[in-house]
Amino acid sequence: MKTTSQLFRFLRNALEDPKRGVVGAVEDLLEVSRERPLRLDWEGDHCQVCMADGDSEETIDVVFPKSVFRAILARMATLCNERNPNSVSPYGGQGELVARVNPSTVVKTTIVNTSADQRLALTTETNSTVAM
Amino acid sequence: MAMVLHGTARVRAERIESSGPDPDFVEPGGVARAEGFSTYLESGPFLLGYPEAYARGKAALFPHEGGPAILAVDVPDDIVALAVSVYFPLSQGIIQFDEGAGLEELRAAWTTLWKEVRLVGIP
């Protein structure tokens, strides 16, 4: 089991210096969500990443373009729709998806992707929920 | 040249067709600027969903904007290259024109580019 700081470091690298584009960044987010519930919120000019650890939560700010975050949200919606067609619109909704790196884990996904508001929450059956 | 597609509502597609993408555009009832112009290569892949789905989604959110439509634009390769980044490699099919990443050059060339609005059916 990785520590919260290890997971945050992995996420920061995945979001600030991706090696496989926005699609790879999404796979990295899903990998972390298998270990801890995640919530990402766009706040002004950066992304606030919140990770639950037991009863507590820790948050970091990650800087990357807003268009990238909206693309991440759109990719998540697409993966939800691959599992259950039309379950999530490009502009938001709730659905489930499976990560390509670990198809046995179902990730519950809540997406808001409008011009005014961009948010994402990821949990698994074994994770506790992080409130949106 | 690369043909790129932008799914939206018909009124917006026609406005962009005539005036170019507007980073200062704010949706009715919204507060945030558009900032960029999101497109796909016509050849795909469509890893973030199909342009038709964006068009239908936008038309559903704004039912008085003429229904779903796709704006197709033929963009020179050197402008497309400005939008390529570590986040948006060409291989993933997403051409994201942002401020400082091709949007200004796209707007400057806009009147010279071939483009058309394609109406999208509602299944």
Side-chain angles (χ1 to χ4, degrees):
Chain A
M1 185 104 168
K2 294 186 177 75
T3 65
T4 300
S5 61
Q6 286 174 319
L7 293 170
F8 271 140
R9 192 160 49 247
F10 177 79
L11 273 182
R12 188 181 291 283
N13 285 336
L15 294 170
E16 292 184 343
D17 186 25
K19 301 294 186 280
R20 296 167 292 137
V22 70
V23 172
V26 165
E27 290 296 328
D28 290 341
L29 280 169
L30 293 174
E31 189 175 332
V32 172
S33 75
R34 286 171 45 222
E35 301 211 28
R36 305 280 172 79
L38 280 177
R39 189 181 69 234
L40 287 80
D41 298 271
W42 191 260
E43 297 286 349
D45 60 354
H46 66 275
C47 184
Q48 198 169 69
V49 182
C50 179
M51 192 184 302
D53 185 5
D55 292 333
S56 65
E57 291 184 358
E58 290 189 40
T59 301
I60 61 168
D61 293 338
V62 185
V63 177
F64 56 90
K66 183 180 181 179
S67 60
V68 172
F69 190 47
R70 298 203 69 180
I72 286 170
L73 297 173
R75 177 64 179 161
M76 293 285 183
T78 301
L79 292 175
C80 288
N81 289 332
E82 284 181 6
R83 177 175 170 82
N84 187 6
N86 302 315
S87 59
V88 177
S89 95
Y91 304 103
Q94 291 183 303
E96 294 181 343
L97 56 84
V98 290
R100 302 240 156 103
V101 292
N102 191 328
S104 63
T105 303
V106 175
V107 181
K108 294 178 182 293
T109 308
T110 303
I111 299 165
V112 177
N113 192 11
T114 66
S115 64
D117 197 7
Q118 301 88 38
R119 286 178 280 139
L120 171 68
L122 302 171
T123 62
T124 65
E125 292 288 349
T126 54
N127 280 337
S128 58
T129 302
V130 183
M132 279 292 274
Chain B
M1 301 291 278
M3 189 71 75
V4 301
L5 309 177
H6 174 77
T8 185
R10 179 178 179 177
V11 167
R12 297 185 198 191
E14 291 173 346
R15 184 187 303 131
I16 298 169
E17 181 185 32
S18 65
S19 306
D22 178 7
D24 294 320
F25 175 75
V26 177
E27 289 187 329
V31 291
R33 300 166 64 235
E35 298 185 20
F37 184 54
S38 305
T39 70
Y40 274 118
L41 288 175
E42 187 177 40
S43 56
F46 300 99
L47 299 172
L48 309 188
Y50 288 92
E52 290 84 353
Y54 282 90
R56 292 186 183 112
K58 193 64 78 176
L61 288 172
F62 299 94
H64 303 298
E65 294 199 22
I70 289 173
L71 175 63
V73 188
D74 207 12
V75 181
D77 292 339
D78 60 330
I79 296 180
V80 169
L82 297 171
V84 174
S85 69
V86 292
Y87 294 103
F88 299 113
L90 210 52
S91 62
Q92 293 184 1
I94 308 148
I95 311 297
Q96 176 66 39
F97 298 101
D98 280 333
E99 293 167 317
L103 183 63
E104 294 83 356
E105 292 81 0
L106 181 68
R107 283 163 49 82
W110 193 257
T111 56
T112 69
L113 305 181
W114 181 93
K115 45 203 172 290
E116 72 174 9
V117 173
R118 303 170 181 171
L119 301 187
V120 174
I122 300 174

